[in-house]
Each structure stands twice: as C-alpha cells, then as structure tokens.
Amino acid sequence: MLRKIALSISVTVFIVIFGYLLIVNSGSPDFRAINYYLPKEFEGCAVILYNQKDASPLTISNDKEIDIIFDENGFFKTSSPKDFGWQSEDDSGYHKANYFSGGTPLAKKDIHSHNSGSYGGDNAEDIQHESISVKTKDACQADLVINIIENNLK
C-alpha cells in the first residue's frame, strides 16, 4: 500500500514538473513578455503601426522583454515587422502581455480588446497595426482606428 502511494506521488510530481517545463519552454525563443506603456490616465484607442521606415526598430532586452512606449496620444510606430521576435511566421509562441499606465500596472478589466489587422488607405499600402481599447469598451472601432492611422501618417 505504501509503495502505491509513493509511486502515485512520484508520478504526480513528475507530471507537474514536466507540464511546467513544457509551458515555460513552449513560448517564443526570443522574448517572454511585451510591455505596453501607455500615458498616465490614458483612456481610448491606442494604436501601433509596424513597418514604418521613419521609425525606430523594436528591441528585445536582456530580460527577454519588448517594450512599447506610446506617445501622449496613445500612438506608437516602429520599423520592425508585426512578427518581430515570433517563434515562426504564423505563431508568436506563448508570451505575456503587460499593460501600464504611467508606469503603474493596469488591471485586466481596463483592457477591453487587443486586436491586430492591416490597412491600405490613401497614404499607405497594407499597414500592419495593433489596436488596444483601454478603459472604454468600443474605443477601437474600425473607422476610429483608420482615422488614427491616417492622422499619424500625414
């Protein structure tokens, strides 16, 4: 009876450790978190534009984190592609998304949506973007995201 209990405990411990290692190592080999730094008390639609020639590239810190620091209007652009640091062309791998307002972590309830897409308007061809609805449920409706993109490309 004691052998069965010891064997059960050993198997359980093995499964827990194996599962933990599988989850930890299944993420992107390049990064483990993206930190989104929004302006203090920001509310509305924050937008990120990728592949912008006149912008700085994203970097991965020694802690394997990518920092995205929005301007006072909740806008950020980078020369890096949307799949920067991804595990493969179609998969970003597991990573954590952290949202901050003026350096203070935001509550999960404050992020209503986080979407990505592309846009090809008058001033651009197939711009890859992300939009984050912060503290407002419908802040990033399609027409508003397009307006933000067009206004920032002028």
Side-chain angles (χ1 to χ4, degrees):
M1 181 70 168
L2 272 168
R3 284 187 185 179
K4 287 183 180 182
I5 292 173
L7 181 61
S8 295
I9 291 173
S10 297
V11 169
T12 302
V13 168
F14 174 78
I15 290 171
V16 168
I17 291 172
F18 180 76
Y20 172 78
L21 292 174
L22 183 65
I23 290 170
V24 167
N25 292 316
S26 67
S28 171
D30 294 330
F31 70 96
R32 63 178 184 84
I34 300 179
N35 300 313
Y36 299 94
Y37 291 96
L38 296 151
K40 188 174 185 174
E41 299 181 25
F42 181 81
E43 186 174 326
C45 184
V47 174
I48 304 166
L49 295 186
Y50 293 93
N51 299 313
Q52 299 301 298
K53 294 176 185 165
D54 61 337
S56 299
L58 293 172
T59 58
I60 299 173
S61 71
N62 291 337
D63 294 333
K64 291 190 164 197
E65 295 182 351
I66 298 172
D67 291 334
I68 294 179
I69 303 170
F70 293 88
D71 69 12
E72 65 277 357
N73 299 312
F75 185 76
F76 179 85
K77 65 181 180 176
T78 178
S79 60
S80 297
K82 171 75 179 83
D83 60 1
F84 176 78
W86 281 23
Q87 187 171 5
S88 68
E89 185 178 318
D90 299 321
D91 182 15
S92 65
Y94 172 80
H95 64 273
K96 189 173 181 183
N98 301 309
Y99 301 91
F100 299 90
S101 175
T104 303
L106 281 169
K108 288 182 181 182
K109 67 178 179 63
D110 290 333
I111 304 300
H112 292 275
S113 65
H114 187 150
N115 300 299
S116 54
S118 62
Y119 165 72
D122 296 336
N123 300 320
E125 289 187 27
D126 198 29
I127 293 176
Q128 300 293 315
H129 65 83
E130 287 183 58
S131 60
I132 305 167
S133 185
V134 182
K135 297 182 181 177
T136 305
K137 187 175 181 180
D138 295 325
C140 292
Q141 294 181 8
D143 57 339
L144 180 57
V145 173
I146 290 169
N147 286 339
I148 293 169
I149 291 171
E150 288 180 346
N151 289 335
N152 283 283
L153 290 178
K154 291 180 181 178

